[in-house]
Amino acid sequence: MEKKDDVNVYRKMRLWELEDEYIIQPIPIPINDNDSNDNDNDNDSDTAAAASSCMSMSISRVDGSVKQLIIDDDDDHQLLPPPTSTTTNTIIFGVLGILKLLSGSSYLVVITERQSVGSYLGHPIYKINSLKTFPCLIHQNQHHDDTPLLNVIHNTPGLYFSYHSNLTLSAQRLYDLTDESKTLPLWRQHFQAPIGIGKHIIHITLIARRCTRRIGTRMWRRGADADGFVANFVETEQILHMNGYTASFVQVRGSIPFLWEQIVDLTYKPKFEVIRREEAPRVADRHFLDLRKKYGAVLAVDLVNKNGGEGSLSEVFANAMQTIGSDDVRYHLLNEKGEKLKEQIGVVRTNCIDCLDRTNVTQSMIGRKMLETQLRRIGVFGAEETIIEHPNFDKNYKILWANHGDEISIQYSGTPALKGDFVRFGQRTNQGIAKDGWNSLARYYLNNFVDGTKQDALDLLHGHYIASVSRDGTTPSKGGGLESIASFPLAFSIIMTGLFFAFTSLRQVRYDYWHLFFSILWASMSIGIAMAVKANGRIFCNRPRLHKPRS
């Protein structure tokens, strides 16, 4: 069988902004197995290194259509402006795709800044530092409505990619696949850079792979859907490299696997609601069936409190788990010749309510114990030796896991993880407690007044809501009644104004008793509005407009 020619993957491109189209022209420095250097500051002379022909792409600014172009040296100057032209051109490092929004507008999303943060299987890994959107098709009447959604995309944290390595697959799965499957490029993953530790030059890498089936924000994506896909499902792989040995251990986290929600309503801790309680065993069974197909045996660790509001969720989960068993979990190990010595057959699944703070503490402890086992297996540690006996190793390992937990938390909740001081230092600190208090307040604000719009942006970006263009370009809107006019900033302003006039009038009572009447009137108005806001808290929050909550 004739082997197909390799497809060149380009790490740098030039985006030309012409009057009626964009042209993306690769700067032909093809990525190969030995490419580990990066210089994002190359100047325009890169274009001079163009090969005799290369495949370019044209995106229409009129209707957003895409077509391929083969630009040769002979027609290069006919299709593209010269480098000295006033026509705008931008150096980019990747194309994410074309995003279609509710207004009917379309935007080209590209990577404009990147940073090399480490390597995986000998190939460089990059962090996306900046994204930029270019309009392809704009409905003028709806242009301003797109701004909040585009801001979410521009500010999305924790995006990592490789031009030549498939980050979606664990080391064990890569070992079992063909070379072609191993080198599929991927951009949308979370990556923590490796660290060198100790006299044996040990490198530890953490890679987190977030499932996009039920992706979303902390309060607007809870529990599971009817097919068993859970919110905040993240696969974390801890990889050890040393003297040619490669050891890997995979853990997963994910929301409690049945239908439940916690809809924001301006209270600090909204109540938990189980949806269709009778379906909990079926949904949980479907979820664990998928896990067993992918990982083998599943060891479930439930960190939910057994009392209070969380207790009701824990009880439903425990009942649903009655028929779901578990077995021992091992790790994956390759020797210096690349031969498999051990194979991981199973996975530890950890959850708390958010699958962030308590989960990260627990996973770091499990990862530590497994790493010690691996180091004993390859002869670095003695039978009773532990990581804590090596202070520098211990310190860097804690920081690695703490940073890992922070980035997962920022994607889901908008803030770093709580209890991060425990992961970093092994104990709670006054500074850590104060930081947790601030982050808790930040989560309250984001959950109630920001995350609805962010949820819409994520649903559009990941294809969970396909926008279609209507004749008038209308978009989903708020419901009727009070919801159509509900505005927390306006209500809060009226309440504070009423209290201000109430106190002002009260100070004038000694001059005229009519001021007492006005003081009571203003205070009553403020209290009445505050009670109305409290009673209808949900509609005063920033809610998703695409996928409505179940209640």
Side-chain angles (χ1 to χ4, degrees):
M1 179 179 293
E2 183 180 355
K3 183 179 178 180
K4 294 182 180 180
D5 294 335
D6 292 336
V7 177
N8 284 337
V9 179
Y10 296 94
R11 67 180 182 183
K12 189 173 295 187
M13 290 152 276
R14 188 181 302 280
L15 188 151
W16 296 91
E17 299 181 55
L18 306 184
E19 182 176 354
D20 57 353
E21 66 179 338
Y22 300 108
I23 293 181
I24 297 176
Q25 181 188 26
I27 297 175
I29 309 174
I31 299 299
N32 53 54
D33 291 343
N34 297 320
D35 178 31
S36 58
N37 299 321
D38 180 39
N39 181 11
D40 290 352
N41 298 318
D42 292 347
N43 56 35
D44 291 349
S45 62
D46 288 334
T47 309
S52 60
S53 66
C54 61
M55 184 70 71
S56 298
M57 182 167 58
S58 168
I59 300 100
S60 172
R61 302 182 69 166
V62 178
D63 57 10
S65 61
V66 180
K67 63 180 179 180
Q68 289 184 333
L69 302 173
I70 298 180
I71 301 178
D72 298 320
D73 285 340
D74 296 336
D75 58 9
D76 186 17
H77 298 289
Q78 299 177 12
L79 293 177
L80 298 176
T84 58
S85 173
T86 57
T87 301
T88 304
N89 69 87
T90 305
I91 295 294
I92 64 174
F93 304 99
V95 179
L96 271 61
I98 296 179
L99 180 65
K100 188 175 183 181
L101 299 184
L102 297 174
S103 61
S105 301
S106 297
Y107 294 86
L108 174 67
V109 187
V110 300
I111 302 170
T112 54
E113 293 182 19
R114 66 182 180 184
Q115 175 187 357
S116 179
V117 294
S119 63
Y120 182 59
L121 301 178
H123 304 295
I125 303 298
Y126 298 92
K127 178 180 180 180
I128 296 179
N129 288 334
S130 178
L131 296 173
K132 187 173 181 180
T133 54
F134 292 86
C136 297
L137 176 63
I138 296 294
H139 282 254
Q140 296 296 333
N141 293 335
Q142 299 293 336
H143 181 267
H144 295 292
D145 292 341
D146 294 343
T147 303
L149 299 177
L150 295 177
N151 287 339
V152 171
I153 296 169
H154 294 157
N155 299 325
T156 300
L159 301 183
Y160 296 76
F161 71 99
S162 170
Y163 293 106
H164 214 270
S165 180
N166 191 342
L167 299 182
T168 60
L169 301 176
S170 66
Q172 179 167 312
R173 293 185 181 279
L174 285 172
Y175 178 86
D176 296 330
L177 290 178
T178 63
D179 291 338
E180 182 179 357
S181 299
K182 292 179 182 180
T183 57
L184 291 174
L186 181 86
W187 64 273
R188 178 68 171 91
Q189 295 300 325
H190 169 85
F191 182 84
Q192 281 288 344
I195 57 175
I197 305 174
K199 63 180 181 179
H200 292 283
I201 314 180
I202 301 170
H203 295 269
I204 309 296
T205 303
L206 288 181
I207 300 180
R209 305 175 177 98
R210 180 179 296 279
C211 177
T212 61
R213 294 296 188 99
R214 191 165 168 75
I215 196 169
T217 57
R218 176 172 173 253
M219 288 298 190
W220 295 113
R221 281 296 177 270
R222 294 288 212 186
D225 60 18
D227 295 321
F229 295 111
V230 297
N232 200 26
F233 185 86
V234 179
E235 176 190 273
T236 296
E237 182 178 18
Q238 177 179 276
I239 305 173
L240 162 67
H241 295 283
M242 195 214 71
N243 295 338
Y245 283 87
T246 299
S248 161
F249 178 67
V250 173
Q251 303 181 69
V252 297
R253 69 178 75 191
S255 191
I256 306 176
F258 54 84
L259 280 64
W260 64 278
E261 60 188 11
Q262 189 182 15
I263 303 300
V264 292
D265 57 3
L266 298 181
T267 61
Y268 181 75
K269 192 171 184 179
K271 65 179 181 179
F272 303 102
E273 298 181 23
V274 179
I275 310 299
R276 299 198 293 274
R277 184 182 295 260
E278 68 280 0
E279 292 190 16
R282 179 192 64 80
V283 175
D285 184 66
R286 176 64 183 270
H287 173 71
F288 280 92
L289 177 62
D290 290 340
L291 291 183
R292 288 195 296 270
K293 286 181 178 179
K294 185 173 184 180
Y295 301 104
V298 181
L299 178 61
V301 179
D302 181 22
L303 303 175
V304 175
N305 292 331
K306 302 304 181 285
N307 301 314
E310 294 186 13
S312 60
L313 298 180
S314 180
E315 180 182 358
V316 176
F317 188 28
N319 292 334
M321 289 290 293
Q322 292 291 334
T323 59
I324 302 174
S326 62
D327 297 299
D328 293 335
V329 178
R330 305 177 188 174
Y331 58 88
H332 176 68
L333 177 63
L334 302 178
N335 64 15
E336 67 275 10
K337 297 180 180 180
E339 299 169 339
K340 186 186 296 185
L341 300 182
K342 290 185 74 70
E343 180 178 9
Q344 180 170 344
I345 49 171
V347 72
V348 178
R349 183 199 189 277
T350 308
N351 73 266
C352 53
I353 288 297
D354 296 329
C355 300
L356 296 176
D357 315 317
R358 288 169 280 180
T359 295
N360 201 59
V361 171
T362 302
Q363 285 198 338
S364 67
M365 295 172 65
I366 295 173
R368 172 185 289 260
K369 292 298 182 182
M370 190 57 68
L371 179 59
E372 291 172 346
T373 301
Q374 292 168 340
L375 290 173
R376 295 187 191 107
R377 176 67 173 80
I378 60 181
V380 177
F381 276 7
E384 302 296 330
E385 195 172 359
T386 62
I387 292 175
I388 201 171
E389 297 175 28
H390 304 269
N392 187 54
F393 191 160
D394 184 56
K395 176 183 176 181
N396 283 282
Y397 185 75
K398 288 176 179 177
I399 292 174
L400 182 66
W401 265 100
N403 293 340
H404 171 82
D406 283 345
E407 291 224 32
I408 292 177
S409 178
I410 289 171
Q411 285 188 340
Y412 189 53
S413 70
T415 73
L418 307 184
K419 301 180 177 66
D421 54 338
F422 188 86
V423 179
R424 280 185 169 84
F425 310 114
Q427 61 183 4
R428 297 309 312 267
T429 63
N430 291 332
Q431 183 179 2
I433 293 173
K435 185 178 179 181
D436 284 356
W438 174 258
N439 285 334
S440 295
L441 292 176
R443 285 185 181 184
Y444 172 83
Y445 171 77
L446 294 172
N447 295 159
N448 284 275
F449 306 116
V450 175
D451 283 350
T453 300
K454 182 178 178 180
Q455 184 64 56
D456 284 340
L458 291 172
D459 285 335
L460 284 167
L461 186 61
H462 292 277
H464 297 313
Y465 186 96
I466 306 300
S468 60
V469 182
S470 61
R471 290 184 178 181
D472 56 359
T474 57
T475 63
S477 59
K478 293 183 177 180
L482 181 61
E483 184 176 0
S484 63
I485 60 173
S487 169
F488 182 82
L490 176 61
F492 182 77
S493 299
I494 295 175
I495 291 171
M496 297 306 296
T497 301
L499 291 177
F500 171 78
F501 283 118
F503 282 110
T504 301
S505 297
L506 189 61
R507 296 177 60 183
Q508 303 297 321
V509 169
R510 58 184 175 177
Y511 303 113
D512 190 340
Y513 284 105
W514 274 103
H515 287 293
L516 178 61
F517 169 77
F518 287 119
S519 178
I520 295 174
L521 180 64
W522 284 112
S524 299
M525 182 193 72
S526 295
I527 294 173
I529 294 176
M531 293 177 63
V533 171
K534 184 178 184 300
N536 300 277
R538 291 188 175 186
I539 66 174
F540 282 91
C541 295
N542 181 243
R543 297 162 62 85
R545 296 169 61 188
L546 305 184
H547 292 294
K548 302 293 184 180
R550 287 181 284 250
S551 64

